[in-house]
Amino acid sequence: MRVVCTPLNNPFASLGKGFMWTYNMGVIDRLKAIGPGALIAAAFIGPGTVTTASVIGAEYAYLLVWTIAFSILATIVLQEMSARLGLISKEGLGEAFRNEFSNPLARGITVALVVSAIGVGTAAFQTGNIVGGAAGLSTITGISENIWGPVIGLIAAGLLWTGNYKLIERVFIGLVVVMGLAFLINAAVVRPDIGALGGGLVPTVPEGSAYLIAGLIGTTVVGYNLFLHASTVQERWDGASDLAECRTDTVAMIIVGGLITTSIVVTAASVFPEGTQIADVGAMADQLEPVFGGYALTFFAIGLFAAGFTSAMSAPLAGAYATAGALGWERDLTSTRFRAIWMTILGTGIVFSGLDYNPVQVIVFAQVANGLLLPILAVFLIYAMNNDDLLGEHTNTTLQNVLGGIVTLVVVGIGLRTLYDVLIL
């Protein structure tokens, strides 16, 4: 099938430049073209998304659906910048940040920020990833999460040790399909109230919800995914000539991730009475009963495991790309120093996953922490995206800077509101 498309003459043409291009391929070829965008979607559809979206749907029904819409727009805006930077400059985001400043002090502060915020931060998030996946397996087998946690960590380590990017990418895509189908089918079966769902697109902040709003944004617009994307696009594509395909992959896969998140909120809102407090995996699994009946707990547990396992691989990989780039080390999946970084991050998660933590509390807290960190990374990214020497004609347009600025301001506002609720109240 041959399709010919041309850019639309509208203010968004610069942002979407290349989304449509002349191509001659079948459905199978198009599926094969899916790349790093699926990796990013798999990374943010982790235990944090499943848990936070379930809690939001159960407590506030559709009132916070607008948070998903904002999160997906924000993710598209920032991830497109990150992917474009990596593809055009042939640098990782850590390298770009490091090279933005010639002053030794400014460079040192930047490197310290990246290493501490991403390297150390991903190690903290890793605990929630592994614990979430372990909670899924524990539900099925009855074996303690403290045992399954280290097992999941070791399996993830084995896959990362291969250094085979294509293998890792396929694992991510497969696990996202497992999660997505269960929730999308269930959301269709429960027949949500479309009017109420549409009403949820109007921004409101119910009392006590700021913490969860920050958590959902933090689980979707993930700071370390910016580093992961800038590096993985270089594994898949060659340069500016592939920018259109890269953008399409990014936008399409992030939207798919957003639909999965929405379906989780929808199922929870449809099954639980508004105001329900979810405290464990068993309670979350009830939302799948309309489709899976007595097998709901098993299917939900499989989905939660898939979510945890994908994130258990993406966090160490992103932390390694970020830290290696910031320190000026080689970003090679098989290099000793690169492996040492992700092994440290993964090892931290394995150790803490063996301790007795409540999975729901650990996961939600990790996402909120990420949401508070994101504005700093967004400011650095927008700054780098306006460097003519780095990107030439592919620097940000005015529209892209405005959208990036709005995203940053909203995230800052939500972060400050969350701090107020947690520290003052």
Side-chain angles (χ1 to χ4, degrees):
M1 178 180 69
R2 182 177 177 79
V3 180
V4 180
C5 300
T6 56
L8 300 176
N9 183 22
N10 63 55
F12 293 92
S14 57
L15 178 63
K17 182 180 178 183
F19 276 22
M20 298 171 286
W21 70 97
T22 301
Y23 63 98
N24 188 2
M25 55 170 60
V27 174
I28 299 299
D29 291 327
R30 290 184 216 174
L31 291 175
K32 288 181 179 179
I34 294 173
L39 203 68
I40 299 305
F44 76 69
I45 303 295
T49 296
V50 176
T51 302
T52 309
S54 296
V55 170
I56 282 176
E59 289 193 29
Y60 298 102
Y62 303 119
L63 288 178
L64 299 182
V65 169
W66 68 268
T67 308
I68 302 175
F70 168 77
S71 298
I72 294 306
L73 174 61
T75 303
I76 289 174
V77 169
L78 296 180
Q79 293 293 163
E80 188 280 333
M81 290 185 195
S82 175
R84 176 160 39 102
L85 183 147
L87 200 59
I88 301 302
S89 70
K90 296 299 181 184
E91 292 184 352
L93 201 55
E95 291 171 281
F97 286 178
R98 182 175 184 271
N99 296 332
E100 274 299 298
F101 303 99
S102 56
N103 182 283
L105 178 60
R107 175 176 291 185
I109 292 174
T110 303
V111 170
L113 173 66
V114 171
V115 172
S116 61
I118 299 300
V120 177
T122 50
F125 303 151
Q126 187 68 355
T127 301
N129 296 333
I130 294 179
V131 168
L137 291 180
S138 177
T139 300
I140 298 172
T141 64
I143 299 174
S144 171
E145 297 157 3
N146 304 134
I147 295 176
W148 276 122
V151 171
I152 289 175
L154 292 174
I155 294 173
L159 281 170
L160 291 173
W161 186 268
T162 67
N164 187 331
Y165 170 75
K166 289 185 177 179
L167 173 62
I168 295 170
E169 183 178 88
R170 287 168 186 161
V171 170
F172 273 67
I173 293 172
L175 291 173
V176 165
V177 170
V178 170
M179 291 183 290
L181 286 177
F183 283 105
L184 289 172
I185 293 172
N186 203 68
V189 170
V190 298
R191 296 182 180 180
D193 183 334
I194 301 301
L197 186 60
L201 292 173
V202 179
T204 58
V205 183
E207 185 177 352
S209 67
Y211 187 78
L212 287 174
I213 291 173
L216 189 57
I217 291 174
T219 193
T220 307
V221 196
V222 184
Y224 64 69
N225 273 350
L226 299 174
F227 293 85
L228 183 63
H229 209 177
S231 296
T232 54
V233 293
Q234 299 174 50
E235 302 278 352
R236 183 60 181 266
W237 293 295
D238 295 326
S241 61
D242 298 309
L243 192 54
E245 187 173 336
C246 174
R247 280 171 167 156
T248 302
D249 171 62
T250 299
V251 174
M253 290 298 98
I254 290 173
I255 289 176
V256 168
L259 291 175
I260 294 173
T261 304
T262 303
S263 71
I264 297 171
V265 172
V266 165
T267 56
S270 300
V271 172
F272 299 114
E274 187 172 341
T276 299
Q277 299 284 324
I278 291 180
D280 55 52
V281 174
M284 283 192 284
D286 290 343
Q287 62 194 290
L288 292 185
E289 283 191 359
V291 172
F292 299 110
Y295 296 99
L297 186 60
T298 299
F299 276 93
F300 187 87
I302 292 172
L304 189 60
F305 160 70
F309 189 70
T310 53
S311 297
M313 285 198 298
S314 66
L317 193 59
Y321 275 127
T323 304
L327 295 175
W329 295 351
E330 184 180 11
R331 291 181 295 112
D332 180 354
L333 272 69
T334 60
S335 73
T336 301
R337 288 194 289 194
F338 191 91
R339 281 175 169 168
I341 298 170
W342 66 251
M343 286 174 67
T344 300
I345 295 170
L346 191 56
T348 302
I350 290 174
V351 170
F352 281 96
S353 69
L355 303 178
D356 190 20
Y357 288 112
N358 182 312
V360 174
Q361 293 177 351
V362 170
I363 293 166
V364 173
F365 176 79
Q367 307 316 316
V368 172
N370 177 72
L372 297 176
L373 167 70
L374 182 64
I376 301 173
L377 297 178
V379 169
F380 270 91
L381 176 61
I382 295 171
Y383 180 80
M385 294 306 298
N386 285 278
N387 187 335
D388 292 328
D389 294 333
L390 185 66
L391 296 170
E393 64 178 309
H394 298 287
T395 54
N396 272 1
T397 63
T398 300
L399 176 60
Q400 287 166 329
N401 281 328
V402 169
L403 290 175
I406 291 173
V407 167
T408 304
L409 288 174
V410 173
V411 171
V412 168
I414 292 173
L416 291 176
R417 171 65 184 271
T418 303
L419 284 176
Y420 176 81
D421 285 354
V422 173
L423 300 178
I424 304 300
L425 300 181

